[in-house]
Amino acid sequence: ELCFAQQMNYICGCEGVGYAGANSHAKQEVLVWMPRVMAILSIFGSSFILYDTIRTRQKRRKMLNQMLFMLSVFDIFGSIAYAFTTLPTPQEDYLHGAKGNDKTCKAQGFFIQIGTIACFMNVSISVYYLLTIKYGW
């Protein structure tokens, strides 16, 4: 039985056990490590925002900083989950670096979904700017 990534090979015209066109070990390594690097950079950026928004009592009281704080918290959860890339994936899925099982895969999926709350926080910040800048609230 093929894993989901292998079943979707027809979308990119790929054949065999390679996924997303990664038909060599080097390409699979890149597909595993690129999200890790980006996730680590995201964690650093969000951590700086956390630090900056809670430095002083005055900053903690501002609504914008409170929303940025929550956006960063949820982004860190999602980024940590993305940093694991294929590690929590079940070994029987034949993905490069897969060492997990069904439970670790579901846990990773849960935290990735928690990370998507950051998108909603971003929308909230946009609405905040709309209300304060355009409508003078």
Side-chain angles (χ1 to χ4, degrees):
E1 183 176 316
L2 295 176
C3 74
F4 180 72
Q6 293 168 346
Q7 292 172 0
M8 295 295 129
N9 276 348
Y10 72 90
I11 294 173
C12 66
C14 308
E15 295 180 18
V17 290
Y19 48 96
N23 52 7
S24 71
H25 181 73
K27 290 178 183 178
Q28 291 174 359
E29 282 283 331
V30 169
L31 283 177
V32 168
W33 278 97
M34 286 306 292
R36 288 181 182 166
V37 171
M38 296 302 119
I40 290 168
L41 291 174
S42 181
I43 291 167
F44 283 141
S46 291
S47 297
F48 175 76
I49 291 171
L50 284 176
Y51 168 75
D52 190 53
T53 57
I54 63 172
R55 277 189 313 169
T56 64
R57 173 175 273 159
Q58 182 181 7
K59 284 191 171 204
R60 286 191 298 268
R61 287 184 179 173
K62 290 185 178 181
M63 176 60 76
L64 176 61
N65 286 344
Q66 293 172 7
M67 289 189 288
L68 282 171
F69 178 86
M70 293 310 298
L71 181 145
S72 298
V73 167
F74 289 118
D75 181 65
I76 288 172
F77 278 120
S79 296
I80 289 171
Y82 274 117
F84 285 110
T85 60
T86 58
L87 193 62
T89 306
Q91 293 176 340
E92 57 270 10
D93 281 353
Y94 303 108
L95 293 175
H96 180 74
K99 298 195 184 321
N101 55 41
D102 188 54
K103 290 178 182 178
T104 58
C105 187
K106 287 180 181 178
Q108 181 186 35
F110 172 78
F111 284 106
I112 287 173
Q113 290 302 314
I114 291 293
T116 60
I117 294 173
C119 298
F120 298 114
M121 293 305 302
N122 202 356
V123 170
S124 299
I125 291 170
S126 298
V127 170
Y128 171 81
Y129 276 126
L130 173 71
L131 294 173
T132 55
I133 294 171
K134 182 163 179 143
Y135 297 110
W137 276 27

